Every structure is written in C-alpha cells, then in structure tokens.
C-alpha cells in the first residue's frame, strides 16, 4: 500500500512528498501540468532545501507522477492506496471530485479503508470533497463510502518557496522550504489509522484549528504583503521589520486573536502566543520570500471569506472594530503589478468603476455599511500619510 498526492507543486513536493519519502512510504504525484509531470518522470528525483539549515537538505528519490489524462492509472492508484493527500489549492478541490469518486468506487470493490487528507489553506476543504462525492457516487459504493472512507483536514504551517534560477538550472524541481516539520491533522474524521508519517500529528480537538491558522497566519501575511508593497518593499521579511508595518501587524493580531479566542474558546493568552509564531516566521530572514508572490491574485485575496475581508467580518461579528485589518484591506485595494492579471483587473475596476465597486463586487461588502465605510476612511488616512498616491 502507498499514498497518492494530488498536486505536485511546492507544498506537494516540498512538504507532503518530503515527509512521505523520509518515512519510507511509497507515493505518486497526480498533476494537471503535463510539463511538470514530464519533469518529475524524467528526473525521478528532486531536492528539498531547508532554509537556514542546509545540513537538513534532502534529495527525494524515486519520484513519479501521473497526469490527469491518465485516468485509469489514477483510479487504480486510488484503489491501491490507503491514504490520499491533496495539495492543489482550495479553489481546485471540486475538480478532483469526479476522479476521486471513480477511485473510491474501485476501492469499494477491493475493500479496505481509505483516508483523504486535504492540505489546503481553505475553509472546510473536507466538506467540499465529502459533499461533492456523496452527490455523485454510485449506489453500490455509498455504504462503503460512508463506513470506510475518511475525509479529513491538515493545517499547512511550512512555507515552500520557488528556488532561484541558479538552483533550478541544476535541479528544475528544487524547492526551498521553511525548517518546520509538524503536520497537524484532524483525528476525528479518520477511519481506521493513517500511516506513520514523520511530523504528522493527530489532533483530537481540531475544531477551529484550520480557521485559527488561516485568520492568524494568512491575515498577517496579507497585511505585511499589501502594506509592504505600498511602501516599496520587495522581500517579505524586510517589510515585516518596518516599525510602521509592525504596528499595524500587531493590531491585526490583537483583533483576530480576540475574535478567534471568543469563537473557539481558546485561552486568549494561548492565541496571542500563537501569533508570535506567525510573526517570527514573517520576520525570518532565512526565508527569502517575495511580496510579489504573496500578494499575487489580489481579487481572490480580497474576497468575502479570504484572509483580510474574512478576518475583518469575523472580528466585527464579535463586537471588535477591525481598524488594522481595514488598513490592510485599503492597502490591498491599491496593489499594482503589471505582470499579475488579477492585479491589472483590480486597477481597472478601481480607476474605471471606483472603490465602491471593489467593496461590493470583490469584497462582498456594503460600501455604505460599517466595514465599507471603515475601509474608505483608512484609504483617506493612507493618502494623508502619503502611502497612497493618486
């Protein structure tokens, strides 16, 4: 028995595949990009560089991948597996449902348990897959699916970053990763047991864990990225040391911590300690990460449930005015990058349709409601500070 990993990007190679390899567990990548599949099968190995700790670098050997065109092979791989991991990006999860459904139907005839572990920064990714598969799976496999298939969630805490051009010349599959090894997984939704994977930590009380990470780490990342971009920074760690940005970041941590603590009943002191791990990661100079990468696709990152607007809505729900989050939202609305299609469209909407259109059609906010008005007040404030130029 082995594992199937949907996705072969930086997290799939640099975290999931890395941990499975170190644990001696055979696995195969399933990847949509034909060129990436070709590279993996041609090279059969790749390098994982641990930033700041080169002594821990690892060459993952025996790498193999199927493309999505190889449907029969993928279905068989799912039927032969005991665990499937997904690392495809939350918005792409629905596209996996048809092939997972077919694989589960074949597994049902073969027997044995199957667990699917979502490794996505996304709200309720396991529910997306379970509800989608439930709707389409054959009558014959429904009982098996209900009793023998677990769909659970992991929280991805390791950063994986594109290697520089020189490294990619010697190994085009190289990935640079943070020196972080823990993979928390919701234990309550597992059927039977998961394989013994290095770093995998079963968490019995997982409720809120994913949301906690998202609205702490991702909100902080968005804040540093978009405010940092306004102030002309290129590298994330350098922006995260700017005292002006740190002051806003600390305010964001306070806002999200109070809301998350109240919603999920974490002790506030414990949640504030959790924010320190986020801040330390952002300020870690050994993680050479660029604002352009983190600010990419601002239309998605400004959406109703994503890191900034979603956090602000959560904070407001618990009676807290999200002043600092709204500064970050205001900064994100003025993000510009000619190479980013999403950023170009954001600029077009802002210039042709106005701020109210972004608030309503991108952020899902009432431009004249409490949050909408607060964001607009922060835009004016950033103009007064000279951070926004129009």
């Amino acid at each position: 028995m082995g594992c199937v990993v949907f996705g072969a990007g930086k997290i799939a190679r640099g975290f999931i595949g890395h941990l499975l390899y170190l644990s001696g567990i055979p696995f195969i990548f399933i990847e949509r990009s034909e060129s990436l599949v070709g590279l993996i099968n041609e090279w059969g190995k790749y390098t994982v560089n641990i930033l700041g700790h080169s002594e821990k670098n690892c060459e993952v050997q025996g790498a193999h991948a199927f493309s999505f065109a190889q449907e029969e092979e993928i279905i068989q791989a799912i039927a032969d597996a005991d665990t499937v991991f997904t690392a495809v990006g939350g918005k792409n999860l629905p596209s996996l449902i048809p092939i997972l459904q077919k694989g589960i139907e074949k597994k049902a005839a073969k027997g044995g348990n199957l667990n699917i572990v979502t490794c996505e920064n996304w709200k309720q990714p396991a529910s997306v897959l379970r509800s989608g598969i439930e709707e389409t799976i054959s009558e014959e496999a429904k009982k098996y699916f209900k009793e023998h298939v677990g769909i659970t969630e992991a929280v991805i805490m390791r950063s994986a970053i594109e290697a520089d051009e020189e490294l990619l010349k010697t190994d085009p599959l190289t990935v640079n990763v943070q020196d972080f090894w823990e993979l928390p997984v919701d234990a309550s939704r597992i059927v039977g047991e998961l394989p013994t994977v290095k770093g995998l930590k079963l968490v019995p009380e997982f409720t809120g864990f994913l949301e906690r990470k998202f609205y702490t780490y991702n909100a902080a990342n968005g804040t540093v990225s978009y405010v940092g971009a306004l102030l002309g920074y290129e590298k994330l760690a350098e922006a995260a040391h700017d005292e002006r940005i740190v002051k806003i970041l600390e305010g964001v941590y306070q806002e999200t911590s109070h809301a998350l603590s109240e919603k999920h009943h974490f002790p506030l002191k414990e949640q504030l300690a959790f924010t320190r791990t986020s801040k330390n990661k952002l300020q870690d100079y050994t993680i050479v990460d660029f604002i352009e990468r983190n600010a990419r696709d601002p239309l998605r990152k400004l959406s109703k449930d994503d890191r900034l607007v979603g956090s602000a809505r959560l904070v407001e729900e618990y009676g807290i005015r999200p002043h600092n989050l709204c500064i970050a939202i205001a900064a994100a609305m003025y993000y510009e990058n000619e190479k980013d299609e999403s950023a170009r469209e954001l600029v077009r909407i802002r210039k042709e349709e106005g701020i109210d259109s972004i608030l309503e059609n991108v952020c899902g906010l009432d431009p004249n409601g409490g949050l909408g008005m607060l964001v607009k007040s922060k835009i004016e404030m950033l103009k007064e500070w000279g951070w926004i130029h129009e």
Side-chain angles (χ1 to χ4, degrees):
M1 303 291 273
C3 294
V4 171
V5 182
F6 276 92
K10 294 185 288 294
I11 289 296
R13 297 198 313 277
F15 199 18
I16 311 306
H18 185 207
L19 294 184
L20 290 172
Y21 175 74
L22 292 176
S23 305
I25 298 170
F27 65 94
I28 186 158
F29 293 116
I30 313 293
E31 171 58 41
R32 199 169 296 280
S33 166
E34 296 280 356
S35 60
L36 184 50
V37 169
L39 271 177
I40 291 169
N41 291 332
E42 178 188 347
W43 284 71
K45 61 183 180 180
Y46 62 88
T47 305
V48 178
N49 292 322
I50 310 299
L51 295 166
H53 295 275
S54 58
E55 72 280 2
K56 298 180 184 179
N57 291 356
C58 170
E59 184 176 83
V60 174
Q61 299 177 344
H64 187 57
F66 289 145
S67 77
F68 270 74
Q70 297 173 275
E71 185 172 293
E72 287 305 314
E73 290 91 336
I74 297 170
I75 291 168
Q76 188 61 55
I78 294 169
D80 291 340
D82 52 28
T83 310
V84 171
F85 293 88
T86 78
V88 296
K91 66 181 179 180
N92 298 313
L93 283 173
S95 70
L96 303 185
I97 290 168
I99 195 73
L100 286 171
Q101 169 227 315
K102 292 174 184 176
I104 290 166
E105 287 171 351
K106 185 150 192 168
K107 179 79 172 177
K110 185 177 181 179
N113 294 328
L114 177 69
N115 283 293
I116 301 171
V117 183
T118 62
C119 304
E120 316 289 352
N121 280 325
W122 205 251
K123 290 189 76 175
Q124 301 182 325
S127 298
V128 171
L129 290 184
R130 182 163 286 282
S131 61
I133 294 168
E134 274 175 351
E135 288 175 10
T136 55
I137 200 158
S138 67
E139 286 296 324
E140 297 78 21
K142 274 187 177 175
K143 187 172 186 291
Y144 169 81
F145 179 61
K146 185 177 180 181
E147 295 177 1
H148 293 281
V149 178
I151 305 182
T152 190
E153 298 170 354
V155 177
I156 300 299
M157 308 284 277
R158 173 187 276 189
S159 289
I161 302 155
E162 197 76 51
D164 61 42
E165 288 185 15
E166 285 304 309
L167 284 173
L168 292 172
K169 283 178 185 176
T170 57
D171 179 352
L173 296 167
T174 297
V175 58
N176 291 342
V177 302
Q178 180 192 9
D179 184 24
F180 189 92
W181 300 85
E182 199 168 276
L183 180 66
V185 174
D186 183 355
S188 69
R189 306 191 219 188
I190 292 166
V191 175
E193 295 181 349
L194 291 179
T196 304
V197 179
K198 177 184 173 68
L200 192 149
K201 178 185 178 184
L202 294 174
V203 181
E205 298 293 332
F206 198 82
T207 305
F209 204 98
L210 192 58
E211 189 170 82
R212 179 189 196 184
K213 186 264 177 182
F214 191 74
Y215 289 140
T216 302
Y217 272 65
N218 293 51
N221 182 289
T223 299
V224 173
S225 297
Y226 291 116
V227 179
L230 269 192
L231 293 175
Y233 283 100
E234 292 184 359
K235 293 179 181 177
L236 203 63
E238 290 175 358
H241 279 88
D242 185 306
E243 289 183 8
R244 298 166 295 177
I245 297 174
V246 170
K247 185 177 179 181
I248 297 165
L249 179 62
E250 291 290 359
V252 166
Y253 285 139
Q254 286 291 329
E255 290 163 4
T256 57
S257 290
H258 278 83
L260 286 165
S261 176
E262 193 166 338
K263 179 176 181 180
H264 296 295
H265 311 293
F266 305 131
L268 180 58
K269 187 176 180 181
E270 180 187 307
Q271 171 58 26
L272 288 169
F274 184 65
T275 69
R276 298 303 94 194
T277 66
S278 165
K279 185 178 179 183
N280 290 342
K281 180 179 177 181
L282 287 167
Q283 292 186 328
D284 187 345
Y285 283 115
T286 68
I287 304 175
V288 182
D289 200 2
F290 291 88
I291 280 175
E292 183 278 327
R293 187 185 79 85
N294 289 276
R296 198 177 297 162
D297 196 4
L299 291 178
R300 174 173 66 83
K301 290 171 183 173
L302 274 168
S303 63
K304 186 177 181 181
D305 293 316
D306 215 279
R307 62 210 65 203
L308 297 176
V309 178
S311 295
R313 289 172 61 239
L314 172 71
V315 166
E316 187 184 52
E317 184 183 337
Y318 285 89
I320 304 155
R321 290 285 278 169
H323 288 280
N324 293 282
L325 280 161
C326 285
I327 293 174
I329 293 167
M333 287 181 167
Y334 280 80
Y335 178 67
E336 297 189 6
N337 180 358
E338 269 299 313
K339 296 177 182 177
D340 182 346
E341 183 182 348
S342 175
R344 291 199 306 271
E345 176 62 9
L346 178 64
V347 171
R348 186 200 68 75
I349 298 170
R350 193 179 74 240
K351 290 183 176 178
E352 295 180 11
E353 301 174 23
I355 289 297
D356 282 4
S357 180
I358 298 176
L359 286 167
E360 185 171 4
N361 301 314
V362 177
C363 305
L365 298 175
D366 178 357
N368 297 311
L371 279 180
M373 295 300 290
L374 186 57
V375 170
K376 287 191 279 189
S377 75
K378 299 307 179 187
I379 290 172
E380 294 308 311
M381 185 183 77
L382 291 175
K383 288 179 179 177
E384 289 173 15
W385 290 358
W387 293 14
I388 289 176
H389 306 280
E390 275 193 317

